[in-house]
Amino acid sequence: MPDQFTPPTDEELEISVFGPGYGESVLIHVGKKLWIVIDSCKDSKTNESAPLAYLKKLGFHPENDIKLVVASHWHDDHVKGLHDLFTAASSAQLCCSPVLTGKEFLTLAEIYSSSTGKISKGPEELYKCICTAAERTKNTNKQYQCYASPDRLIWQVNGSTLNVKLTSLSPSDEMSINSRQFMIDYVNLLNKGITDPRLNPTYPNDVAVALLLEINDRQILLGSDLEENGNPLVGWSAVMSGTIAPNSKSCVYKVAHHGSKSGHHETVWNDILHPKPLALLTPFRYGRHKIPTATDRARILSITDNAYISSDPNRVAKSSKNPPKVQAIVNQTVKNLRVTNTIVGHIRWRASINDLSDEGTIDLFDGAIKLADVNYSI
């Protein structure tokens, strides 16, 4: 079995996908000790950011080697531990949707930070990152925050042997408008005395940042939680009406929205991905609701048999037993208590940066498996 903590060489591209534990994260070595991190997830056993802990075990130095941290959106399962990671990556820029720095989001974050555990902490986590980026900019007169929008080049490396471009493909203007209106409506409900309005879980996906990574002549599509509902102004339809994505052809796809039907867009698979691309995904489970479903699995495998998932979506972690007094406090302060998967699965793909004929090597750690090996009959 390969050593999980043998570092990549300067000439190796690495994509590591972590999840769940609680959440999802993508860590990318673009070559020459340069790293990009998209989102964060925590190992529930150690309470550490999984990509940050892995990078340290490889022997890299987050304060110098992480160049960009992308917050794709503010769902809890994508931002757990993000501020710890961004703090450690002290020379990195932060990239997110511009709507997440607006007054509507800042108001929402303030409300969330004062909550007693009944609602998500995602906005608070991201808000702390935004404040840290602003402080870095103030102290250095160098910009440490950039904004994702359709077809925008957000980071690049130009060298004699290494050329890297990272382009944001979303969110569209309409997605940002929808997200801003949701925040306004939510705050208005609170002002009317509704103390715990239920969040529609799809709305934070309105600011989901999908990305196209180009390393020399190789392209990689990173789908975040971007969804598709047929509206040409939002989601994958908006991406496909842009100028960058339709002219791309990616060999690797971090599958959108955990492989769910809502994240699927036929044109993406048919037009901007190689035939039978390497597909990487993480599962999501909330109570009995889990994705990918058996139908999702069959749909993905009908397109490519080269698909991997960071953890079996059927796996259920056992809850820890608290002392009676502790459990009584938990029951009084927390709604919708759920057990998270304590193991953070890890899919790792490495390939030569300079040899495009190298299809790379997949290594699976800590419960990551082939998607074909997921058994829904048990």
Side-chain angles (χ1 to χ4, degrees), residues 159-227:
S160 57
T161 60
L162 180 65
N163 290 281
V164 182
K165 289 183 179 180
L166 185 67
T167 303
S168 59
L169 304 176
S170 64
S172 66
D173 289 345
E174 183 71 8
M175 292 166 68
S176 295
I177 290 169
N178 291 344
S179 182
R180 187 173 288 110
Q181 187 60 53
F182 161 75
M183 295 175 193
I184 292 170
D185 293 344
Y186 186 82
V187 172
N188 286 341
L189 288 173
L190 292 172
N191 290 336
K192 290 178 181 179
I194 301 175
T195 58
D196 187 20
R198 289 288 180 262
L199 283 170
N200 183 331
T202 65
Y203 272 101
N205 292 340
D206 275 337
V207 293
V209 177
L211 299 159
L212 178 68
L213 176 64
E214 300 171 86
I215 301 178
N216 290 351
D217 292 321
R218 203 188 302 256
Q219 295 178 318
I220 295 151
L221 182 63
L222 304 159
S224 179
D225 272 4
L226 194 64
E227 297 184 87

Coordinates of all heavy atoms in Angstrom, one line a residue, residues 159-227:
G159 N 5.5 30.5 -15.7 CA 6.9 30.1 -15.6 C 7.4 29.4 -16.9 O 6.6 29.1 -17.8
S160 N 8.7 29.1 -16.9 CA 9.2 28.4 -18.1 C 8.8 27.0 -18.3 O 8.6 26.5 -19.4 CB 10.8 28.5 -18.0 OG 11.2 27.8 -16.8
T161 N 8.5 26.3 -17.1 CA 8.1 24.9 -17.2 C 6.7 24.7 -16.5 O 6.2 23.6 -16.6 CB 9.1 24.0 -16.5 OG1 9.3 24.4 -15.1 CG2 10.4 24.1 -17.2
L162 N 6.2 25.7 -15.9 CA 4.9 25.6 -15.2 C 4.0 26.8 -15.4 O 4.4 27.9 -15.1 CB 5.1 25.5 -13.7 CG 3.9 25.3 -12.8 CD1 3.2 24.0 -13.1 CD2 4.2 25.4 -11.3
N163 N 2.9 26.5 -16.0 CA 1.9 27.5 -16.3 C 0.5 27.1 -15.7 O 0.0 26.0 -16.0 CB 1.7 27.8 -17.8 CG 2.9 28.5 -18.3 OD1 3.1 29.7 -18.2 ND2 3.8 27.7 -19.0
V164 N 0.0 27.9 -14.8 CA -1.2 27.5 -14.1 C -2.2 28.7 -14.2 O -1.9 29.9 -14.0 CB -0.9 27.3 -12.6 CG1 -2.2 26.9 -11.8 CG2 0.2 26.2 -12.4
K165 N -3.5 28.3 -14.5 CA -4.6 29.3 -14.4 C -5.7 28.7 -13.6 O -6.1 27.5 -13.9 CB -5.1 29.6 -15.9 CG -4.1 30.4 -16.7 CD -4.8 30.7 -18.0 CE -3.9 31.6 -18.9 NZ -4.5 31.9 -20.2
L166 N -6.3 29.5 -12.7 CA -7.5 29.0 -12.0 C -8.5 30.1 -12.3 O -8.4 31.3 -12.0 CB -7.2 28.9 -10.5 CG -8.4 28.4 -9.7 CD1 -8.6 26.9 -10.0 CD2 -8.1 28.6 -8.2
T167 N -9.6 29.6 -13.0 CA -10.7 30.5 -13.4 C -12.0 30.2 -12.7 O -12.4 29.0 -12.7 CB -10.9 30.4 -14.9 OG1 -9.6 30.7 -15.6 CG2 -12.0 31.4 -15.4
S168 N -12.6 31.2 -12.1 CA -14.0 30.9 -11.5 C -15.0 31.0 -12.7 O -14.9 31.8 -13.6 CB -14.3 32.0 -10.5 OG -14.2 33.3 -11.0
L169 N -15.9 30.1 -12.6 CA -17.0 29.9 -13.6 C -18.4 30.4 -13.1 O -19.3 30.6 -13.8 CB -17.1 28.5 -14.0 CG -15.8 27.8 -14.5 CD1 -16.1 26.3 -14.8 CD2 -15.3 28.5 -15.8
S170 N -18.5 30.6 -11.8 CA -19.7 31.1 -11.1 C -19.3 31.8 -9.8 O -18.2 31.7 -9.4 CB -20.6 29.8 -10.9 OG -20.0 28.9 -9.9
P171 N -20.3 32.4 -9.2 CA -21.7 32.5 -9.5 C -22.1 33.6 -10.5 O -21.4 34.6 -10.6 CB -22.3 32.9 -8.1 CG -21.2 33.7 -7.4 CD -19.9 33.1 -7.9
S172 N -23.2 33.4 -11.2 CA -23.7 34.4 -12.1 C -24.3 35.5 -11.3 O -24.5 35.5 -10.1 CB -24.7 33.7 -13.0 OG -25.9 33.4 -12.3
D173 N -24.6 36.6 -12.1 CA -25.2 37.8 -11.4 C -26.6 37.4 -10.9 O -26.9 37.8 -9.8 CB -25.4 38.9 -12.5 CG -24.1 39.6 -12.9 OD1 -23.1 39.4 -12.1 OD2 -24.1 40.3 -13.9
E174 N -27.3 36.6 -11.6 CA -28.6 36.2 -11.1 C -28.5 35.3 -9.8 O -29.3 35.5 -8.9 CB -29.4 35.4 -12.2 CG -30.8 34.9 -11.8 CD -31.8 36.1 -11.8 OE1 -31.4 37.2 -12.2 OE2 -32.9 35.9 -11.4
M175 N -27.5 34.5 -9.7 CA -27.3 33.7 -8.5 C -27.0 34.6 -7.3 O -27.5 34.4 -6.2 CB -26.2 32.7 -8.7 CG -26.5 31.6 -9.7 SD -25.0 30.7 -10.3 CE -24.5 29.9 -8.8
S176 N -26.2 35.6 -7.6 CA -25.9 36.6 -6.5 C -27.1 37.4 -6.1 O -27.3 37.6 -4.9 CB -24.7 37.5 -6.9 OG -23.6 36.8 -7.2
I177 N -27.9 37.8 -7.0 CA -29.1 38.5 -6.7 C -30.1 37.6 -5.9 O -30.6 38.1 -4.9 CB -29.8 38.9 -8.0 CG1 -29.0 40.0 -8.7 CG2 -31.3 39.4 -7.7 CD1 -29.5 40.4 -10.1
N178 N -30.2 36.4 -6.3 CA -31.1 35.4 -5.5 C -30.6 35.2 -4.1 O -31.4 35.2 -3.1 CB -31.2 34.1 -6.2 CG -31.9 34.1 -7.5 OD1 -32.6 35.1 -7.8 ND2 -31.7 33.1 -8.4
S179 N -29.3 35.1 -4.0 CA -28.7 34.9 -2.6 C -28.9 36.1 -1.7 O -29.2 36.0 -0.6 CB -27.2 34.5 -2.8 OG -26.6 34.2 -1.5
R180 N -28.6 37.3 -2.3 CA -28.8 38.5 -1.5 C -30.2 38.6 -1.0 O -30.5 39.0 0.1 CB -28.4 39.7 -2.3 CG -28.3 41.0 -1.6 CD -27.7 42.1 -2.4 NE -26.3 42.0 -2.5 CZ -25.7 41.7 -3.7 NH1 -26.4 41.5 -4.8 NH2 -24.4 41.6 -3.8
Q181 N -31.2 38.3 -1.9 CA -32.6 38.5 -1.5 C -33.0 37.5 -0.4 O -33.7 37.8 0.5 CB -33.5 38.2 -2.8 CG -35.0 38.5 -2.5 CD -35.2 39.9 -2.0 OE1 -34.8 40.9 -2.7 NE2 -35.9 40.1 -0.9
F182 N -32.4 36.3 -0.5 CA -32.6 35.3 0.5 C -32.2 35.8 1.9 O -32.9 35.7 2.9 CB -31.9 34.0 0.2 CG -31.7 33.1 1.4 CD1 -32.8 32.4 1.9 CD2 -30.5 33.0 2.0 CE1 -32.6 31.6 3.0 CE2 -30.3 32.2 3.1 CZ -31.4 31.5 3.7
M183 N -31.0 36.4 1.9 CA -30.5 36.9 3.2 C -31.4 38.0 3.7 O -31.6 38.1 4.9 CB -29.0 37.4 2.9 CG -28.0 36.4 2.6 SD -26.4 37.1 2.2 CE -25.6 35.7 1.4
I184 N -31.8 38.9 2.8 CA -32.7 40.0 3.3 C -34.0 39.4 3.9 O -34.5 39.8 4.9 CB -33.1 40.9 2.1 CG1 -31.8 41.7 1.7 CG2 -34.2 41.9 2.5 CD1 -32.0 42.5 0.4
D185 N -34.6 38.4 3.2 CA -35.8 37.8 3.7 C -35.6 37.1 5.0 O -36.5 37.1 5.9 CB -36.4 36.8 2.6 CG -36.8 37.5 1.3 OD1 -37.0 38.7 1.3 OD2 -36.9 36.7 0.3
Y186 N -34.5 36.5 5.1 CA -34.2 35.7 6.4 C -34.1 36.7 7.6 O -34.6 36.5 8.6 CB -32.9 34.9 6.2 CG -32.6 34.0 7.4 CD1 -33.2 32.8 7.5 CD2 -31.7 34.4 8.4 CE1 -32.9 32.0 8.6 CE2 -31.4 33.6 9.4 CZ -32.0 32.4 9.5 OH -31.7 31.6 10.6
V187 N -33.3 37.8 7.4 CA -33.2 38.8 8.4 C -34.5 39.4 8.8 O -34.9 39.6 9.9 CB -32.2 39.8 8.0 CG1 -32.1 41.0 9.1 CG2 -30.8 39.2 7.9
N188 N -35.4 39.6 7.8 CA -36.7 40.2 8.0 C -37.6 39.3 8.9 O -38.3 39.7 9.7 CB -37.4 40.5 6.7 CG -36.8 41.7 6.0 OD1 -36.2 42.6 6.6 ND2 -37.1 41.8 4.7
L189 N -37.4 38.0 8.6 CA -38.2 37.0 9.5 C -37.7 37.1 10.9 O -38.5 37.0 11.8 CB -38.0 35.6 8.9 CG -38.7 35.2 7.6 CD1 -38.3 33.9 7.1 CD2 -40.2 35.3 7.8
L190 N -36.4 37.2 11.1 CA -35.9 37.3 12.5 C -36.4 38.6 13.1 O -36.8 38.6 14.3 CB -34.4 37.3 12.5 CG -33.7 36.0 12.1 CD1 -32.2 36.2 11.9 CD2 -34.0 34.9 13.1
N191 N -36.5 39.7 12.3 CA -36.9 41.0 12.9 C -38.4 41.0 13.2 O -38.9 41.7 14.0 CB -36.6 42.1 11.9 CG -35.2 42.4 11.8 OD1 -34.4 42.1 12.7 ND2 -34.8 43.0 10.7
K192 N -39.1 40.0 12.6 CA -40.6 39.9 12.9 C -40.8 39.0 14.1 O -42.0 38.7 14.5 CB -41.3 39.3 11.7 CG -41.4 40.3 10.5 CD -42.1 39.7 9.3 CE -42.2 40.7 8.2 NZ -42.8 40.1 7.0
G193 N -39.7 38.5 14.7 CA -39.9 37.7 15.9 C -39.8 36.2 15.7 O -40.0 35.4 16.6
I194 N -39.6 35.7 14.5 CA -39.5 34.3 14.2 C -38.0 34.0 14.6 O -37.1 34.3 13.8 CB -39.8 34.0 12.7 CG1 -41.2 34.4 12.4 CG2 -39.6 32.5 12.5 CD1 -41.6 34.2 10.9
T195 N -37.8 33.3 15.7 CA -36.5 33.2 16.3 C -35.6 32.1 15.6 O -34.4 32.1 15.7 CB -36.6 32.8 17.8 OG1 -37.4 31.6 17.9 CG2 -37.3 34.0 18.5
D196 N -36.3 31.2 14.9 CA -35.5 30.1 14.3 C -36.1 29.7 13.0 O -36.5 28.6 12.8 CB -35.4 28.9 15.2 CG -34.4 27.8 14.7 OD1 -33.5 28.2 13.8 OD2 -34.5 26.7 15.1
P197 N -36.1 30.6 12.0 CA -36.7 30.3 10.7 C -35.9 29.2 10.0 O -34.6 29.2 10.1 CB -36.6 31.6 9.9 CG -35.6 32.4 10.6 CD -35.6 32.0 12.0
R198 N -36.5 28.3 9.3 CA -35.8 27.2 8.7 C -35.1 27.7 7.4 O -35.8 28.3 6.6 CB -36.8 26.1 8.4 CG -37.3 25.4 9.6 CD -36.2 24.5 10.2 NE -36.7 23.8 11.4 CZ -36.4 24.2 12.6 NH1 -35.8 25.3 12.8 NH2 -36.9 23.5 13.7
L199 N -33.9 27.4 7.3 CA -33.1 27.7 6.1 C -33.5 26.7 5.0 O -33.5 25.5 5.2 CB -31.6 27.6 6.4 CG -31.0 28.7 7.1 CD1 -29.5 28.3 7.5 CD2 -31.0 30.0 6.3
N200 N -33.8 27.2 3.8 CA -33.9 26.4 2.7 C -32.5 26.0 2.3 O -31.7 26.8 1.9 CB -34.6 27.2 1.5 CG -34.7 26.3 0.3 OD1 -34.0 25.4 0.0 ND2 -35.8 26.6 -0.5
P201 N -32.1 24.7 2.3 CA -30.7 24.3 2.2 C -30.1 24.6 0.8 O -29.0 24.5 0.6 CB -30.8 22.8 2.5 CG -32.1 22.4 2.2 CD -33.0 23.5 2.6
T202 N -31.0 24.9 -0.2 CA -30.4 25.1 -1.5 C -29.9 26.5 -1.7 O -29.1 26.7 -2.6 CB -31.5 24.8 -2.6 OG1 -32.5 25.8 -2.5 CG2 -32.1 23.4 -2.5
Y203 N -30.4 27.4 -0.9 CA -30.0 28.8 -1.2 C -28.5 29.1 -1.0 O -28.0 29.9 -1.8 CB -30.9 29.8 -0.3 CG -32.2 30.1 -0.9 CD1 -33.3 29.5 -0.5 CD2 -32.2 31.1 -1.9 CE1 -34.5 29.8 -1.1 CE2 -33.4 31.4 -2.5 CZ -34.6 30.8 -2.1 OH -35.8 31.1 -2.7
P204 N -27.8 28.6 0.0 CA -26.4 28.9 0.0 C -25.7 28.4 -1.3 O -24.6 28.9 -1.6 CB -25.9 28.1 1.2 CG -27.1 28.1 2.1 CD -28.2 27.9 1.2
N205 N -26.2 27.4 -2.0 CA -25.6 27.0 -3.2 C -25.8 28.0 -4.4 O -25.1 27.9 -5.4 CB -26.3 25.7 -3.7 CG -25.9 24.5 -2.8 OD1 -24.9 24.6 -2.0 ND2 -26.7 23.5 -2.8
D206 N -26.6 29.1 -4.1 CA -26.7 30.1 -5.1 C -25.3 30.9 -5.3 O -25.2 31.6 -6.3 CB -27.8 31.1 -4.7 CG -29.1 30.7 -5.2 OD1 -29.2 29.9 -6.1 OD2 -30.1 31.2 -4.6
V207 N -24.4 30.8 -4.3 CA -23.2 31.4 -4.5 C -22.0 30.4 -4.7 O -20.9 30.8 -4.5 CB -22.8 32.3 -3.3 CG1 -23.8 33.5 -3.2 CG2 -22.9 31.6 -2.0
A208 N -22.4 29.2 -5.0 CA -21.3 28.2 -5.2 C -20.4 28.5 -6.3 O -20.8 28.9 -7.4 CB -22.0 26.8 -5.5
V209 N -19.1 28.4 -6.0 CA -18.0 28.8 -6.9 C -17.5 27.5 -7.6 O -16.8 26.7 -7.0 CB -16.9 29.5 -6.2 CG1 -15.7 29.8 -7.1 CG2 -17.4 30.8 -5.5
A210 N -17.8 27.3 -8.8 CA -17.2 26.3 -9.7 C -16.0 26.8 -10.3 O -15.9 28.1 -10.6 CB -18.2 25.8 -10.7
L211 N -15.0 26.0 -10.5 CA -13.7 26.4 -11.0 C -13.1 25.6 -12.1 O -13.4 24.4 -12.2 CB -12.7 26.4 -9.8 CG -13.0 27.2 -8.6 CD1 -12.2 26.7 -7.4 CD2 -12.6 28.7 -8.8
L212 N -12.4 26.2 -13.0 CA -11.6 25.5 -14.0 C -10.1 25.7 -13.7 O -9.6 26.8 -13.7 CB -12.0 25.9 -15.4 CG -11.2 25.3 -16.5 CD1 -11.6 23.8 -16.6 CD2 -11.4 26.0 -17.8
L213 N -9.4 24.6 -13.5 CA -8.0 24.6 -13.2 C -7.2 24.1 -14.5 O -7.5 23.1 -15.0 CB -7.6 23.8 -12.0 CG -6.1 23.6 -11.7 CD1 -5.5 25.0 -11.3 CD2 -5.9 22.6 -10.6
E214 N -6.3 24.9 -14.9 CA -5.5 24.6 -16.1 C -4.0 24.5 -15.6 O -3.5 25.5 -15.1 CB -5.6 25.6 -17.2 CG -7.1 25.7 -17.7 CD -7.3 26.8 -18.7 OE1 -7.0 26.6 -19.9 OE2 -7.7 27.9 -18.2
I215 N -3.4 23.4 -15.8 CA -1.9 23.2 -15.4 C -1.2 22.7 -16.7 O -1.5 21.6 -17.1 CB -1.8 22.2 -14.3 CG1 -2.5 22.7 -13.0 CG2 -0.3 22.0 -13.9 CD1 -2.4 21.8 -11.8
N216 N -0.4 23.6 -17.2 CA 0.2 23.4 -18.5 C -0.9 23.1 -19.5 O -1.8 23.9 -19.7 CB 1.3 22.3 -18.5 CG 2.5 22.8 -17.8 OD1 2.6 24.0 -17.5 ND2 3.5 21.9 -17.5
D217 N -1.0 21.9 -20.1 CA -2.1 21.7 -21.1 C -3.2 20.7 -20.5 O -4.0 20.2 -21.3 CB -1.5 21.1 -22.4 CG -0.7 22.1 -23.1 OD1 -1.1 23.3 -23.2 OD2 0.4 21.7 -23.7
R218 N -3.2 20.6 -19.2 CA -4.2 19.7 -18.6 C -5.3 20.5 -17.9 O -5.0 21.5 -17.2 CB -3.5 18.8 -17.6 CG -4.3 17.5 -17.3 CD -3.6 16.7 -16.2 NE -2.3 16.3 -16.4 CZ -1.8 15.1 -16.7 NH1 -2.7 14.2 -16.9 NH2 -0.5 14.9 -16.8
Q219 N -6.5 20.1 -18.0 CA -7.6 20.9 -17.4 C -8.4 20.0 -16.4 O -8.6 18.8 -16.7 CB -8.6 21.4 -18.5 CG -7.9 22.4 -19.4 CD -8.8 22.9 -20.6 OE1 -9.5 22.1 -21.2 NE2 -8.8 24.2 -20.8
I220 N -8.9 20.7 -15.4 CA -9.6 20.0 -14.3 C -10.8 20.8 -13.9 O -10.7 22.0 -13.7 CB -8.7 19.8 -13.1 CG1 -7.5 18.8 -13.4 CG2 -9.4 19.2 -11.9 CD1 -6.2 19.1 -12.7
L221 N -12.0 20.2 -13.8 CA -13.2 20.9 -13.5 C -13.6 20.6 -12.0 O -13.6 19.4 -11.6 CB -14.3 20.5 -14.4 CG -15.7 21.1 -14.2 CD1 -15.6 22.7 -14.5 CD2 -16.7 20.5 -15.1
L222 N -13.8 21.7 -11.3 CA -14.1 21.5 -9.8 C -15.5 22.1 -9.6 O -15.7 23.3 -9.7 CB -13.1 22.3 -9.0 CG -11.6 21.8 -9.3 CD1 -10.6 22.9 -8.9 CD2 -11.3 20.5 -8.6
G223 N -16.5 21.2 -9.3 CA -17.9 21.6 -9.4 C -18.5 22.2 -8.2 O -19.7 22.6 -8.3
S224 N -17.8 22.2 -7.0 CA -18.4 22.7 -5.8 C -19.8 22.1 -5.6 O -19.9 20.9 -5.8 CB -18.5 24.2 -5.9 OG -19.0 24.8 -4.7
D225 N -20.7 22.8 -5.1 CA -22.1 22.4 -5.0 C -23.0 23.0 -6.0 O -24.2 23.2 -5.8 CB -22.6 22.6 -3.6 CG -22.3 21.5 -2.6 OD1 -21.6 20.6 -3.0 OD2 -22.7 21.6 -1.4
L226 N -22.5 23.4 -7.2 CA -23.2 24.1 -8.2 C -24.4 23.1 -8.7 O -24.1 22.0 -8.9 CB -22.4 24.5 -9.3 CG -23.0 25.5 -10.3 CD1 -23.3 26.8 -9.6 CD2 -22.0 25.7 -11.5
E227 N -25.6 23.7 -8.8 CA -26.7 22.9 -9.2 C -27.3 23.4 -10.5 O -26.8 24.4 -11.1 CB -27.8 22.9 -8.1 CG -27.3 22.3 -6.8 CD -28.3 22.3 -5.7 OE1 -29.1 21.3 -5.6 OE2 -28.4 23.2 -4.9

